[in-house]
Amino acid sequence: MGLNGVYITLELAEGLCAKRIDSMIADVASKDIFSKLDEVDLKLRMKAKTHGHCTIKYMPAQSSVNDIRAYCKELEVKTGRKIDFLCVDYLDLIMPSGVKVSAENVFIKDKFVSEELRNLSKELNVLFVTASQLGRSAQDEIEFDHSHIAGGLSKIMTADNVFAIYTSRSMRERGKYQLQLLKTRNSGGVGSKIDLDYNPETLRIFDSSDGGEQPQRQSAPQPSGNDIMSRIKTASKIVEPEELSPLQKIKVDVKGSQLKALLGELKGN
C-alpha cells in the first residue's frame, strides 16, 4: 500500500508545504490549486488508494532532535502506522539536544546535529532525508564540492549520500535541473551528474526525457518482383489515339504545304 512518512518543516507553514506537495502529486499548477479544488481532491483520493500516508508537521526553528523523536513516536502510537521515511527541512535550523553548543561554532553544532539525526534514523529504522544550504562561494560555481556546503565537512562525514542541486537561469527557462553526486558511501558514483526535468508550475522534478535511446524505426518490407509487376499492370493503361476530324486534317495539310514553300524560297535565295 505504499510507504508512510513524516515531513518536518522548520521554516514554511504546514499549509504552504501541503499546497506544494498536492501540486506535485496532482500535476496541477500551484496557482490553480484552489480554482481546481475538486479535481485535485479527486486525484489525491485516487492516489491514496494505492499509496501510503505523509504527515506534515511544523516545528519552530531551533527545535532539537528529541522534539522530532517524541513527535514521531507519538504519531506511531496514535495512528498505528509504522513510519518508513522521515524528511527534515532543514538541518541548519536544528539545535543539538545532547550538548550545549554556541550558535557561532557552526562546525561543532552541525556535527552534533548530523550525528543525532543519523542515530534517530537508525533508532526508528527509517529512510532519512534532509537538506542544507550552500555557502556564498558557491553562487558563481558550476560544479560543487565539499567546501561549498555551509558548515563544512561535519555534515559530509556523517551522511551516506550527498547530492548537490544545480541550476541556472537558462536551465530554469528550459525546465532543467542537475544533481551532482558529492559523496556515495556504497557506490562509485562520486563526480557523476544526473540531468533532470523541472516543471516550474507544479515545482516537480522528474526524470529527464533527453538522452534516452530513440526508438528504432521499423523498415518497410521490400516488395517482391511479382508485386511490382502486378502494380505496373494495374496502374498502366493503353490510351488509344484520338481520331482527327476532317477540319483538323485540312488545317494540318495547309500548314504543311506552307512550310514546304517557305523552305523552297530559302533554298532558292
Side-chain angles (χ1 to χ4, degrees):
M1 291 297 293
L3 301 178
N4 300 315
V6 177
Y7 184 94
I8 304 293
T9 170
L10 294 96
E11 190 173 32
L12 298 179
E14 295 177 359
L16 182 56
C17 291
K19 180 182 177 182
R20 290 185 174 184
I21 295 176
D22 291 346
S23 176
M24 298 176 191
I25 297 176
D27 197 21
V28 176
S30 299
K31 62 181 180 180
D32 299 330
I33 286 290
F34 294 107
S35 60
K36 299 181 179 180
L37 197 58
D38 294 337
E39 177 184 349
V40 174
D41 180 67
L42 177 60
K43 289 183 177 180
L44 294 179
R45 290 181 183 275
M46 295 298 294
K47 292 284 187 180
K49 294 182 178 181
T50 56
H51 293 68
H53 296 78
C54 180
T55 304
I56 302 174
K57 175 62 177 178
Y58 171 79
M59 289 187 177
Q62 311 304 321
S63 296
S64 66
V65 178
N66 283 340
D67 298 329
I68 300 176
R69 176 186 288 105
Y71 174 77
C72 291
K73 291 188 175 181
E74 181 182 0
L75 182 65
E76 287 183 338
V77 172
K78 286 184 177 180
T79 61
R81 294 192 297 262
K82 171 70 172 62
I83 296 177
D84 299 306
F85 68 89
L86 175 62
C87 180
V88 176
D89 183 17
Y90 55 98
L91 183 147
D92 297 347
L93 299 179
I94 301 177
M95 293 296 292
S97 56
V99 62
K100 291 184 178 180
V101 180
S102 173
E104 297 178 356
N105 196 338
V106 180
F107 181 88
I108 298 299
K109 180 185 79 69
D110 290 343
K111 179 179 184 298
F112 281 112
V113 171
S114 300
E115 292 176 352
E116 290 180 4
L117 288 174
R118 182 181 177 86
N119 293 336
L120 176 62
S121 65
K122 296 291 290 184
E123 177 184 342
L124 299 177
N125 191 23
V126 297
L127 173 66
F128 180 78
V129 181
T130 188
S132 178
Q133 292 184 344
L134 295 174
R136 295 181 180 178
S137 59
Q139 291 183 357
D140 299 328
E141 295 292 334
I142 298 177
E143 294 188 3
F144 301 126
D145 55 36
H146 299 173
S147 63
H148 294 135
I149 298 178
L153 294 175
S154 58
K155 305 170 186 176
I156 299 291
M157 292 185 295
T158 308
D160 291 332
N161 300 285
V162 180
F163 301 88
I165 302 177
Y166 170 75
T167 187
S168 61
R169 179 177 298 179
S170 60
M171 291 177 63
R172 284 193 296 270
E173 291 176 353
R174 293 183 289 111
K176 295 293 182 181
Y177 266 65
Q178 186 182 81
L179 285 184
Q180 300 180 7
L181 280 66
L182 304 185
K183 177 183 178 181
T184 56
R185 191 185 295 272
N186 299 319
S187 71
V190 177
S192 302
K193 298 177 181 179
I194 304 174
D195 293 328
L196 301 173
D197 288 342
Y198 170 70
N199 189 334
E201 294 185 352
T202 62
L203 306 180
R204 183 173 183 176
I205 300 176
F206 47 92
D207 293 340
S208 177
S209 58
D210 297 340
E213 296 183 357
Q214 297 294 333
Q216 297 180 355
R217 296 183 178 179
Q218 296 182 353
S219 57
Q222 296 294 332
S224 61
N226 295 331
D227 295 335
I228 296 175
M229 290 301 298
S230 61
R231 292 178 184 177
I232 294 175
K233 290 179 180 179
T234 55
S236 301
K237 293 182 180 180
I238 299 176
V239 180
E240 296 292 340
E242 296 181 358
E243 186 68 23
L244 297 177
S245 63
L247 183 60
Q248 291 176 335
K249 291 181 179 180
I250 295 173
K251 290 182 178 180
V252 172
D253 293 338
V254 172
K255 291 181 179 180
S257 60
Q258 292 177 352
L259 180 60
K260 289 179 180 180
L262 180 61
L263 291 175
E265 293 178 359
L266 292 175
K267 289 181 180 180
N269 296 332

